[in-house]
Every structure is written in C-alpha cells, then in structure tokens.
Amino acid sequence: MNNFQYVRAEGLDGAARFVAGHVGAKFIGGGTNLVDLMKYNVEKPSSLVDLNRLSMRDVSELPDGGLRIGALVTNSDVAYHPTVSTRYPLLSRAILAGASAQLRNKATTGGNLLQRTRCVYFYDTATPCNKREPGTGCPAKEGINRTLAILGTSVSCIATHPSDMCVALGALGAVVQVTGPGGSRSIPFEQFHRLPGDHPEIDTTLAADEIITSVDLPRTGFAGHSAYIKVRDRQSYAFALVSVAAGLEVADGVIAKAGVALGGVAHKPWRNPQLEQELLVGRPANRDTYHEFQRALLAGAQGFGENDFKLKLAPVTVVRALEQAAHEGEQA
Amino acid sequence: MTTGQQALEETVDLAVPTHMTVSGRSHTLRVEPWTSLLDLLREGLQLTGSKKGCDHGQCGACTVLVNGVRVNSCLCLAVMHDGDAITTIEGLGSEGNLSTMQQSFVDHDGYQCGYCTPGQICSAVGMLNEGHARTEADIREQLSGNVCRCGAYPNIVAAVKHVMGMGQTEGGR
Ligand SMILES: Cc1cc2nc3c(=O)[nH]c(=O)nc-3n(C[C@H](O)[C@H](O)[C@H](O)COP(=O)(O)OP(=O)(O)OC[C@H]3O[C@@H](n4cnc5c(N)ncnc54)[C@H](O)[C@@H]3O)c2cc1C
Ligand code: SF4
Ligand code: FES
Ligand code: FES
C-alpha cells in the first residue's frame, strides 16, 4: 500500500472541495473495496477523505412516500431495516445474498454502488488491463472470463459490475442523490452506472469530486411479488455468476407493473424499462410471457469462451425469478 | 504495510492522533494512515489473538468487534477507528475465565489447528449481538464469512447452537 494523507471530513462542502483540489484524492466509506484495492496497488490515492463523520447515516421517509437511505447506512442496516424488509423485500434479499456478515456490517450504501469489478486482470498489476491502465489491452477476452459480461461489452472491456444490492436498486428504480462543488443533482439508477465503450476506466457518471449523499427508493417496492435469484459457485460468500432481481404487481393474473434487472452479465445492472412496458405490463403472468420478455431483454448476448454458459443460464434465471415473484405468498 | 514513498515519509509526518479502547484498555496513539486495524492490534499493541489469514476480507480470521459489531479488521484502517471500542478474542475471556462461547468451542471441539478460532468466536459473538439467527441454517449462513481450512464446521455449529440453547447435535452433524 502506498503512503497517503488521511483527512476526516467535517462537512460535505469541505470534503468535496478537498477532493476537487487535490490530484489523486479519494473518498472512503467502509473501505472494504478501496482498502483491498490499495493493498494490491490497484488504487493509489494521494489522500483519503473519510466520510464517516458526516450525517448520512439515517433511513427516512420522503414526502412523496418514498424512502431515503443515507450513503453511510451500512449494507446490514439497510437489509434488516424493518421498513426496507417489509416494503422493499427485494432489496433486503439481494443485500443478504452478498458478501459476508462482517463485510455487510462495514460496507456502506454509497461504497457499494462504487465498488469495482472483480475481473482478475484488473486486480493483477502484472497484467495489462484497459480499466486499470487505459490503452494497455484486455486479456480477459481470450483469457479468464468465466465471471465476465455477455451483454453491453466493448472491444476494450468485458468486465461485470459485481454488486448484488445494485441489481435490486435497478429493478426498484432507485434515484442516487449526489452533491459536489458544482451543486447537487439526482441521478436515475439506470444512468448511474455506464457501459465500458471506449472508456472502461470510467464506471459511472459520478464525477471524482461528487459525494453520494443518499439513495432514494420510490413509493412502492413490489412488496407482494418479488424474487432475487443469485446463481454462484458456492452457496454463500461468493459473487454472482448470474443474478436476477424481479418485482411484479399482479392483478387478476395480469401484470400491472414490472421491474427486472440482471447482475453478473454486464458492466452495469442490466435493465430495459421499455421492454417491461411492452412485453410484461398488461400481459398474463405466465411462462410464455416471461420467455418472450427474456428473449428481447437478452437479445445480442455474446459469450467469450469460459462464460458461454451464461448464454443459457441467464434466460432460465430470468424466467425462474419472474415465476417465483408472481407466485410469492401463494402457498405458505 | 509497504512504504512506497520513502521520501514523502521522511519529509512529512502523516501519522494521525487516534484514541481507541481495545478490550477495555484505553490507548492514545499516533497511527500512520496506511496501518490496518489488524496490524495495529498485532504489531502495535502485541495482541496476536486476532489472526491474519488472507489480509483481503476473504477468510474472517481477523474478525473483531467494533462497538459490538463484527468486522474484518484487515480491511479497516486503524485511523478510521478513532473513538471506537474494539473487542478482540483477548477481551472476551482469559485462561481459567473463559466466556460462554469460548468454553463451548472447547467443549465441542470447535477447532483443529485453531488458526481460524479467534475469528470464529468473535464472529459468533457478533452474530448473537445482531440477533438474526434462529435456525441451524441461519447459523451456517451468517457465519459463512469465517473460513476453516481444517473443516471444523460441524463442531463450530454445535458449539454455537449450544450457546443459543438449541440443544446438542448428534455426531457433529
Ligand atoms: C471477500 C469479499 C466478498 C464480497 N462479496 C460480495 C458479494 O457477493 N456481493 C456484493 O455485492 N458485494 C460483495 N463484496 C463487495 C462489497 O459489497 C463492497 O466492498 C462494499 O459494498 C463497498 O462498500 P464500502 O463502503 O466498503 O466502499 P469503500 O471501499 O469505502 O469505497 C468504494 C468506492 O466508493 C467510493 N465512495 C465510498 N462512499 C462514497 C460516497 N458516499 N460518495 C462518493 N464516493 C464514495 C470510494 O472512494 C471508493 O472508490 C465483497 C467484498 C469482499 C472483500
Ligand atoms: S475485462 Fe475490463 S477489467 Fe477485465 S482485463 Fe479487460 S479491460 Fe480489464
Ligand atoms: S485476514 Fe481479514 S478476512 Fe482474512
Ligand atoms: S481450526 Fe484450523 S482453520 Fe479452522
């Protein structure tokens, strides 16, 4: 790990201005991703600005009926929060499917959104990697890619975003609140993470000097019909190969509202609200509907060898998650 | 704890005043920001009960309680724990005066080589503080952050079940 200066942030403005004014400065939340990457010399910040003394640790009701989760609320505290587990069970399930209890106790909401890929080349400074060092190449395409993307890839990068929580936030249609030297703004979840394109070194649309202050959930959260299915190499404490967060509102056997996102298949949680409107809403909640939707959602998927199995795994996981969501609560 | 930028270190003192309580003892220290809580405990304070397995959050051997909450001390920067109360395995009990969880691990042979054990015990105590485990499946899931390469899992689960008043498991099932 390189030497660096440590600063305890006392206010949002000061923290953002410090990072804006110091090349290589970074924020730190729980540190479970950043400290790990620093030990591998993948991240080498000149200074760390510790956000933990800022007041972003509350879960609070919003005037519009939604729920605001402060950026410093730990993953455990979100998952077990009574309002979250009753009104947004999809989010609780996704968080509890990730990492370990120790890590969830330390990891923050803001940090979870900004965790970086687990691509082995990204972690290994002895190998080229466009995401770590732009322009050096992407050995994963012809190499170790079992865990990597099948959708939205580019010539320069096929990495996946590893978060479970973000897959649920995608399906729920969350909004990320951020603030920085240029002011505050709200970023719809689908616009927060980006596809790699020609700039795989950039994971999100957040600027380096912007702080995530909260993640806001909409008024309704598929409390009656939701499912999070995570397929992985071992039953616990492993990243997703493919995961699906599915939420439905069903009335008289017909889908009234839907939110479906996939993890482990792309550089961001994979969701298409337009297809949900066209192929799920207003249709009968049955397998034929789910298959037609799945075919459209996953159109153009492409494997790179080791990860070809995801081309078969992703479709069946989408269908299974939708079936499980639709039938939730039916038999005790 | 590599020192990459020797020059920087020589000209600027980057150490930060940090106050913490470790297993009931208060410490006022000057800590270099790149020191992990695990290294501070083991090397700075000579509390070698907490173990370093992977140093990357993957094994749980370094598990300690921070204000009663279990975390991986290898991924904590010590300077970020100014004002916190840390409890390590040394703080849970001592020879001849073991805590209930420690005694139960002894009684159920909840270890073989013992390397993962301090982390397992701190994690189990943290799990009970959290209060979300009801069944044996819950225990297994909520202790999955502690890896045991000797495979003592059945006896670890038995030891924890005993403390939770869930009765004995036969034959270490
Ligand atoms: C062994 C292991 C297994 C894991 N398994 C899983 C898994 O199965 N599923 C899963 O989803 N995750 C898993 N994780 C990842 C874990 O969820 C993340 O490390 C964690 O969520 C990151 O949160 P943090 O607060 O610790 O982030 P940090 O490490 O503090 O920060 C991460 C990044 O976010 C930035 N940042 C933090 N907070 C803010 C903010 N408020 N505003 C702006 N920038 C900010 C930091 O600058 C940094 O770049 C695993 C991690 C480990 C080590
Ligand atoms: S897939 Fe992306 S992160 Fe992995 S080696 Fe290629 S460029 Fe790097
Ligand atoms: S040493 Fe900390 S988790 Fe392995
Ligand atoms: S007892 Fe040997 S690693 Fe667990």
Side-chain angles (χ1 to χ4, degrees), chain B residues 109-117 120 146-153 156:
Chain B
D109 275 341
Y111 47 81
Q112 288 177 38
C113 76
Y115 197 80
C116 70
T117 314
Q120 298 279 4
N146 294 84
V147 176
C148 174
R149 77 183 291 264
C150 299
Y153 299 110
I156 292 170

Coordinates of all heavy atoms in Angstrom, one line a residue, chain B residues 109-117 120 146-153 156, ligand 4:
Chain B
D109 N -15.1 -29.3 20.7 CA -14.0 -29.5 19.8 C -14.3 -28.6 18.5 O -14.2 -29.1 17.4 CB -13.9 -30.9 19.4 CG -13.0 -31.7 20.3 OD1 -12.3 -31.1 21.1 OD2 -13.2 -33.0 20.3
G110 N -14.5 -27.3 18.8 CA -14.9 -26.5 17.6 C -13.7 -26.0 16.9 O -13.7 -24.9 16.3
Y111 N -12.6 -26.7 16.8 CA -11.4 -26.3 16.1 C -10.5 -27.5 16.0 O -10.6 -28.5 16.7 CB -10.6 -25.2 16.8 CG -10.5 -25.5 18.3 CD1 -9.5 -26.3 18.8 CD2 -11.4 -25.0 19.2 CE1 -9.4 -26.6 20.1 CE2 -11.3 -25.3 20.6 CZ -10.2 -26.1 21.0 OH -10.1 -26.4 22.3
Q112 N -9.5 -27.4 15.0 CA -8.5 -28.4 15.0 C -7.1 -27.7 15.2 O -6.6 -27.7 16.2 CB -8.5 -29.2 13.7 CG -9.8 -30.1 13.7 CD -10.0 -30.9 12.4 OE1 -9.0 -31.3 11.8 NE2 -11.2 -31.1 12.0
C113 N -6.6 -27.0 14.1 CA -5.4 -26.2 14.3 C -5.6 -25.0 15.2 O -4.6 -24.5 15.8 CB -4.8 -25.9 13.0 SG -5.6 -24.5 12.2
G114 N -6.8 -24.4 15.1 CA -7.1 -23.3 16.0 C -6.8 -21.9 15.3 O -7.1 -20.9 15.9
Y115 N -6.3 -21.9 14.1 CA -5.9 -20.6 13.5 C -7.2 -19.7 13.2 O -7.1 -18.5 13.4 CB -5.2 -20.9 12.1 CG -4.4 -19.6 11.7 CD1 -3.2 -19.3 12.3 CD2 -5.0 -18.8 10.7 CE1 -2.5 -18.1 11.9 CE2 -4.3 -17.6 10.4 CZ -3.1 -17.3 10.9 OH -2.4 -16.2 10.6
C116 N -8.3 -20.4 12.8 CA -9.4 -19.6 12.5 C -10.3 -19.2 13.7 O -11.2 -18.5 13.6 CB -10.3 -20.3 11.5 SG -11.2 -21.8 12.2
T117 N -9.9 -19.9 14.8 CA -10.8 -19.9 16.0 C -11.1 -18.5 16.6 O -12.3 -18.2 16.9 CB -10.3 -20.9 17.1 OG1 -9.9 -22.1 16.4 CG2 -11.3 -21.2 18.1
Q120 N -13.6 -17.0 14.4 CA -14.9 -17.8 14.5 C -15.6 -17.3 15.8 O -16.8 -17.1 15.7 CB -14.7 -19.3 14.6 CG -14.0 -19.9 13.4 CD -14.9 -20.2 12.2 OE1 -16.1 -19.8 12.3 NE2 -14.3 -20.8 11.2
N146 N -16.5 -16.8 7.9 CA -15.3 -17.4 8.6 C -15.0 -18.7 8.0 O -15.7 -19.7 8.1 CB -15.6 -17.5 10.1 CG -15.8 -16.1 10.7 OD1 -16.9 -15.5 10.7 ND2 -14.7 -15.6 11.3
V147 N -13.9 -18.8 7.3 CA -13.5 -20.0 6.6 C -12.6 -20.8 7.5 O -11.7 -20.2 8.2 CB -12.7 -19.6 5.3 CG1 -12.2 -20.9 4.6 CG2 -13.7 -18.8 4.4
C148 N -12.8 -22.1 7.6 CA -11.9 -23.0 8.4 C -11.3 -24.1 7.5 O -12.0 -24.9 6.9 CB -12.8 -23.7 9.5 SG -11.9 -25.0 10.4
R149 N -10.0 -24.0 7.3 CA -9.4 -24.9 6.3 C -9.3 -26.3 6.9 O -9.1 -27.3 6.2 CB -8.1 -24.4 5.8 CG -6.9 -24.5 6.7 CD -5.7 -23.9 6.0 NE -5.2 -24.7 4.9 CZ -4.3 -25.6 4.9 NH1 -3.7 -25.8 6.0 NH2 -3.9 -26.2 3.8
C150 N -9.4 -26.4 8.2 CA -9.5 -27.8 8.8 C -10.9 -28.4 8.7 O -11.0 -29.6 9.0 CB -9.1 -27.7 10.3 SG -7.4 -27.1 10.6
G151 N -11.8 -27.6 8.3 CA -13.2 -28.2 8.2 C -13.9 -28.5 9.5 O -14.6 -29.5 9.6
A152 N -13.6 -27.7 10.5 CA -14.3 -28.0 11.8 C -15.7 -27.5 11.9 O -16.3 -27.4 13.0 CB -13.4 -27.3 12.9
Y153 N -16.3 -27.2 10.7 CA -17.6 -26.6 10.7 C -18.7 -27.3 11.5 O -19.4 -26.6 12.3 CB -18.1 -26.4 9.2 CG -17.2 -25.6 8.4 CD1 -16.5 -26.1 7.4 CD2 -17.1 -24.2 8.6 CE1 -15.6 -25.3 6.6 CE2 -16.3 -23.4 7.8 CZ -15.6 -24.0 6.8 OH -14.8 -23.2 6.1
I156 N -18.2 -26.4 15.1 CA -18.3 -25.0 15.3 C -19.8 -24.7 15.4 O -20.3 -24.0 16.4 CB -17.7 -24.2 14.2 CG1 -16.2 -24.3 14.2 CG2 -18.1 -22.7 14.3 CD1 -15.5 -23.7 13.0
Ligands
FES4 S1 -9.4 -25.0 13.0 FE1 -7.8 -25.0 11.5 S2 -8.5 -23.4 10.2 FE2 -10.2 -23.7 11.5

